[in-house]
Amino acid sequence: MSKYIRYLGSILIGVGLGISVTLSGQENAEQYHHNLNYPLLLDVIDTVETYYVTELSQDELIAAAIEGIFAKLDPYSNFLDKQEFSNIRNANKGEYFGFGIEIATEDDQITIITPFAGSPAERAGIRAGDRIVKLNNNKVDYSKLDDLLTEIKNHSQNNQSIVLALTHPNMDTVYEVTLVPSLISVLSVTAELLDGNIGFIKLANFQDNSTEEMVKQLALWQPLKLQGLILDLRNNPGGLLDQAIKIADIFLDKGRIVSTEGRFFDANSDYYASPQTMLNDVPMLVLINKGSASASEVLAAALQDNKRAKLIGETSFGKGTVQSLIPTLMEGNAIKLTIAKYTTPNGRDINSKGIEPDIKLQLETVTNEQTMPIIDETNVHDKIEDNNVETDLILDSAITWIKTHS
């Protein structure tokens, strides 16, 4: 079993995959191959429906056939029913209903990739990298991730709570939380000015309006003489790839942003920055962690490879493929399909590897002042969350770095 097996972004609340384009179901339907043995498939379905010992409807058998097709593909591709398709479209507008978690398999364990901002999962204290031990008091099996996701999705759609037993990374203690699905509204871009006139922007995900909101915020800071700019991509699971490209273009005046490669013509593209930029002379740091995935990795790598910003934090998740939403001929359904892989401006394939930050900080490392000399105890930035004061030492390290390097 490889160290990093496969990632499957749950559609519990809809976002987190680098969806870049929507293709026409009709155009793709016209390209089928006449020599494929479709009558055989229909014969198998009809025979099972007629003679199998347990009664199965034709709809059930067709659903099983579809499931079998996607079992042969990568874990990012799947069939979306009307509700799931609607969830993704709503997610691109910043609205979700669910528990607010993305799940993967890593090192033969079921792992939380990201708890979404403002979600029941985040409020319960779930962190990126936590391992799921039990769901509803039943032990989980990493080899049956699809079954786990289906059960969680069904509870969400039926507005039912779930009970998760989890462990934090590198800890054996199990903690238990009860999550109740709820409507989650996520602001893609939030910002504040920190001590020393340092601009801090939290980019939670890549929605329809992310670029527009980013430009608005940066325009407010244009008249100011910023000492530095910090872009926080921690626990950003991704979203719309085109938004990540446009935001990268805001900070870059030249150079490649990302390259994509696939089997059909439109999946092969090189994206380059235009000369227009904002705050181009302001020193910039980007915060990443293991919950930074997909489109957020595209943005981080573009800024790193073009030497516009230094990355600080943990190695990112490592998702180097692009998905598209392709409507089916049946109205309301869609196929989410991996259509391309991408490489960074310097040609790096980060899939299953992640992006290495320029300044690597593990949480356990930044709490040890002997191993982290860039932390200045006189500049502690406190993060207030759910009435608990939590020192954000990685952000504090970034602030200190900017003050000592600008």
Side-chain angles (χ1 to χ4, degrees):
M1 190 67 64
S2 63
K3 179 180 177 182
Y4 209 95
I5 307 175
R6 307 173 75 191
Y7 165 68
L8 181 57
S10 68
I11 309 301
L12 308 179
I13 59 177
V15 77
L17 301 174
I19 301 164
S20 59
V21 293
T22 299
L23 305 176
S24 165
Q26 182 62 46
E27 289 176 356
N28 286 272
E30 291 173 355
Q31 298 176 11
Y32 69 89
H33 299 285
H34 294 277
N35 61 340
L36 294 181
N37 200 350
Y38 297 118
L40 176 60
L41 175 61
L42 296 177
D43 185 37
V44 169
I45 290 175
D46 182 64
T47 300
V48 173
E49 182 186 15
T50 303
Y51 299 110
Y52 187 61
V53 62
T54 301
E55 183 177 357
L56 294 170
S57 69
Q58 190 174 90
D59 286 345
E60 289 177 301
L61 294 171
I62 291 174
I66 292 173
E67 183 179 340
I69 290 172
F70 286 100
K72 295 290 291 184
L73 308 182
D74 75 335
Y76 307 104
S77 302
N78 66 329
F79 176 80
L80 304 177
D81 61 25
K82 293 180 182 180
Q83 183 60 55
E84 291 168 332
F85 190 21
S86 176
N87 286 345
I88 284 187
R89 288 181 294 185
N90 288 336
N92 291 336
K93 297 176 178 140
E95 294 182 353
Y96 320 95
F97 185 85
F99 302 108
I101 50 177
E102 285 207 28
I103 301 172
T105 53
E106 179 185 10
D107 296 333
D108 296 347
Q109 297 183 76
I110 295 180
T111 305
I112 300 292
I113 298 305
T114 301
F116 282 79
S119 68
E122 185 187 57
R123 291 193 296 269
I126 294 176
R127 306 173 190 169
D130 284 357
R131 313 290 192 176
I132 298 178
V133 179
K134 292 181 180 180
L135 169 63
N136 295 331
N137 296 317
N138 296 314
K139 288 186 178 180
V140 299
D141 182 345
Y142 78 91
S143 66
K144 297 180 179 178
L145 180 60
D146 287 348
D147 294 340
L148 177 76
L149 292 175
T150 298
E151 183 174 351
I152 294 176
K153 180 180 70 176
N154 289 338
H155 277 72
S156 175
Q157 291 178 345
N158 292 300
N159 199 18
Q160 297 174 336
S161 63
I162 59 172
V163 178
L164 292 178
L166 310 100
T167 61
H168 291 311
N170 303 318
M171 295 179 63
D172 295 328
T173 305
V174 176
Y175 72 98
E176 192 173 277
V177 297
T178 299
L179 304 181
V180 178
S182 66
L183 182 64
I184 308 161
S185 295
V186 175
L187 292 175
S188 178
V189 177
T190 55
E192 62 176 309
L193 283 176
L194 305 179
D195 293 341
N197 232 26
I198 297 172
F200 173 77
I201 295 180
K202 172 67 177 177
L203 187 56
N205 58 17
F206 296 88
Q207 302 169 185
D208 291 332
N209 65 344
S210 294
T211 302
E212 179 184 354
E213 293 301 312
M214 180 68 73
V215 169
K216 285 181 182 178
Q217 182 57 55
L218 295 178
L220 293 176
W221 288 344
Q222 285 275 41
L224 306 179
K225 187 172 179 58
L226 293 182
Q227 186 177 3
L229 183 64
I230 298 173
L231 178 61
D232 192 350
L233 297 179
R234 291 175 296 175
N235 293 335
N236 180 325
L240 297 172
L241 180 61
D242 70 311
Q243 294 293 305
I245 292 170
K246 290 176 182 177
I247 291 175
D249 194 13
I250 293 173
F251 297 110
L252 298 173
D253 58 2
K254 62 181 179 179
R256 180 186 284 116
I257 295 173
V258 69
S259 298
T260 63
E261 179 182 351
R263 285 199 307 121
F264 79 103
F265 178 77
D266 288 340
N268 296 276
S269 297
D270 275 317
Y271 298 90
Y272 288 88
S274 61
Q276 294 77 26
T277 64
M278 301 181 75
L279 303 181
N280 192 41
D281 58 343
V282 177
M284 188 175 182
L285 278 181
V286 178
L287 312 185
I288 61 172
N289 67 358
K290 64 185 69 176
S292 306
S294 191
S296 63
E297 293 175 291
V298 170
L299 174 56
L303 298 176
Q304 183 185 51
D305 281 5
N306 285 287
K307 303 188 183 305
R308 174 61 184 92
K310 287 190 177 295
L311 309 188
I312 181 171
E314 301 174 307
T315 302
S316 64
F317 174 72
K319 177 178 178 294
T321 57
V322 179
Q323 285 68 48
S324 286
L325 293 179
I326 307 173
T328 66
L329 296 178
M330 296 182 63
E331 185 178 356
N333 299 319
I335 295 171
K336 178 166 61 62
L337 197 67
T338 297
I339 61 165
K341 61 181 181 180
Y342 71 80
T343 55
T344 73
N346 287 348
R348 290 182 292 164
D349 177 2
I350 59 93
N351 198 49
S352 298
K353 304 170 188 174
I355 302 169
E356 292 286 339
D358 300 289
I359 306 169
K360 192 165 187 177
L361 304 178
Q362 302 289 350
L363 184 58
E364 58 269 22
T365 302
V366 296
T367 57
N368 184 344
E369 59 184 86
Q370 293 181 344
T371 60
M372 271 308 306
I374 71 170
I375 295 179
D376 183 350
E377 289 188 7
T378 64
N379 290 305
V380 176
H381 181 84
D382 289 333
K383 183 167 104 176
I384 310 299
E385 195 167 37
D386 292 336
N387 299 319
N388 293 319
V389 178
E390 177 183 315
T391 303
D392 190 340
L393 291 172
I394 291 181
L395 176 56
D396 184 63
S397 300
I399 294 170
T400 303
W401 189 92
I402 286 179
K403 287 184 176 182
T404 56
H405 288 78
S406 60

